[in-house]
Amino acid sequence: MPGKHSAEVVGAGLAGLTAAIALAQRGWSVRLHERDSEVRAIGAGIYVWGNGLATLEALGLSDAATGAHVGPALESRDHRNRTIERVPINGPGQPRVVTIMRDHLIGTLVRGAKDAGVEIRTGSEAVEAHPDGTLILRSGETVRADVILAADGVNSRLRRHYDVVARRARMKQGAIRLTVPQSAEYVPAADRDKYLEYFSGRRRVLYTPSSETSLYVALVADEDDREASRIPVDAAAWTRSFPHLAALLSACAGATGRWDTFEFLTLTRWSLGRLAFLGDAAHAQPPYLGQGGGCAMMSALGLADALSTPGSPVDQRLRDWEYAQRPVVEHTQRWSYRLRKLNNLPDTARSALLHAGALAPRLGASRMRAARTVPTGHGRFAGAPPL
Ligand SMILES: Cc1cc2nc3c(=O)[nH]c(=O)nc-3n(C[C@H](O)[C@H](O)[C@H](O)COP(=O)(O)OP(=O)(O)OC[C@H]3O[C@@H](n4cnc5c(N)ncnc54)[C@H](O)[C@@H]3O)c2cc1C
């Protein structure tokens, strides 16, 4: 259609898919490039908080949460399996969060993209992008658009040409993520529906029902903890730290897992001319709040709103988007960065700190700021408690 605005989006993860759908729904002509031969997600679950859910609702894709698990509480347990913090969720006035299998979420977004008219090109790797709106592909093709969105993940190749990284830190901690079938053997019946986080020494186990049948497990440890980061999972080593989870850890040993080291990244600016960085390419965070994907989706929706607001040139709209989004995203990043320290504390000090945190509602509200944020259009968001 003549006069239609055009976008080339690089990366079919949560950020790229969300931005592509939202722009196409606002009348843009959108092409999405994914370097892999298909759009796929790793075999794990994901926490989708209120901001992610509100984004899915705004895209008309609430059915992404169909079959998701809706837990009653998040509980942290100490090395003796005693509850040290309990956050009630999903009740009136409480934070909303569901857990879902990543392939179901990505599959729903791919369907949404196709329905919205996005052209998805798999096996299409981008190698360079320029602020004048030029994108160069591995195939040798050069394409031009009103805006280029680099949603190519924390190791963004498109970002490498520009001096925009303000801070990047590898956390020296990471996690094995895997899925096992749910079973009554793993935890007592009263705990089965909860989201449970177990601490012991410098290791953590995250127990996350993510559908009626699937249980997502994350095993968090220091990068140099050789036996804890080994794949397949070393059930004996993990059971030494968590004897009460022996049945679960033995099931994990038979599952296909993937280790990822956590990263933190901030940029000096999120855009240059007609080129914008979004999602993990702009603001990666360690997953202690389960908000990297939520922030990516929330911010991508805000980007589409900002770009579709008439009256100013594209580079100005991108700056407006950053101005609107950056405070809540960076606030969330700061919190997730701080929370890494919990892993490094002795068991007794950690328990005392978490117990004190549970008794401080303002602290809890601050930590949950992004989770309570909802889009209101024009790239702006509301509903968050004060910083
Ligand atoms: C252990 C762990 C647990 C987490 N848990 C949660 C959670 O519970 N909730 C939550 O919200 N977040 C969570 N996160 C964070 C979340 O997974 C990320 O923030 C989110 O997936 C980032 O999405 P993205 O689209 O920005 O990047 P990515 O998911 O990395 O997607 C980038 C895409 O770009 C493609 N690509 C890369 N380079 C190119 C190129 N040159 N050309 C074309 N395509 C390219 C890649 O193949 C990929 O498909 C977790 C992260 C980790 C490590």
Side-chain angles (χ1 to χ4, degrees), residues 194-353:
K194 297 174 186 166
Y195 302 125
L196 298 167
E197 178 183 43
Y198 300 90
F199 289 91
S200 178
R202 295 173 72 96
R203 297 177 180 172
R204 290 190 204 192
V205 175
L206 197 63
Y207 167 99
T208 309
S210 294
S211 77
E212 251 180 55
T213 53
S214 301
L215 179 69
Y216 157 48
V217 182
L219 303 174
V220 181
D222 288 346
E223 202 175 27
D224 60 8
D225 183 343
R226 291 266 170 79
E227 51 176 14
S229 53
R230 191 177 297 152
I231 292 175
V233 169
D234 184 335
W238 278 94
T239 305
R240 266 204 324 275
S241 301
F242 302 95
H244 47 286
L245 297 176
L248 172 63
L249 295 165
S250 150
C252 291
T256 308
R258 163 178 153 149
W259 170 271
D260 285 286
T261 301
F262 303 157
E263 297 235 36
F264 176 91
L265 172 82
T266 55
L267 302 187
T268 52
R269 52 196 295 185
W270 289 1
S271 67
L272 297 154
R274 295 175 179 274
L275 167 64
F277 303 99
L278 69 157
D280 277 10
H283 45 71
Q285 55 183 282
Y288 302 120
L289 286 175
Q291 267 292 347
C295 284
M297 291 167 69
M298 170 181 89
S299 174
L301 177 67
L303 173 60
D305 273 333
L307 280 171
S308 305
T309 306
S312 47
V314 165
D315 58 341
Q316 181 59 50
R317 293 183 210 177
L318 291 175
R319 285 196 294 275
D320 291 346
W321 158 67
E322 177 177 344
Y323 183 78
Q325 293 285 328
R326 201 165 170 130
V328 69
V329 169
E330 289 203 338
H331 177 81
T332 309
Q333 284 186 285
R334 278 194 295 276
W335 261 108
S336 60
Y337 188 71
R338 273 180 215 142
L339 287 171
R340 84 193 186 286
K341 292 188 180 155
L342 285 176
N343 266 44
N344 307 343
L345 294 172
D347 286 322
T348 44
R350 180 194 305 119
S351 299
L353 196 73

Side-chain angles (χ1 to χ4, degrees), residues 10-16 33-36 40 45-48 102 124-127 151-154 157-158 175 177 216 260-262 278-281 285 287 290-296:
V10 178
L14 294 174
H33 302 269
E34 170 54 50
R35 73 176 166 196
D36 285 349
R40 60 178 155 231
I46 183 165
Y47 287 75
V48 183
R102 280 185 184 250
S124 181
E125 184 180 356
V127 292
D152 51 344
V154 65
R157 178 187 177 118
L158 300 185
R177 284 178 283 177
Y216 157 48
D260 285 286
T261 301
F262 303 157
L278 69 157
D280 277 10
Q285 55 183 282
Q291 267 292 347
C295 284

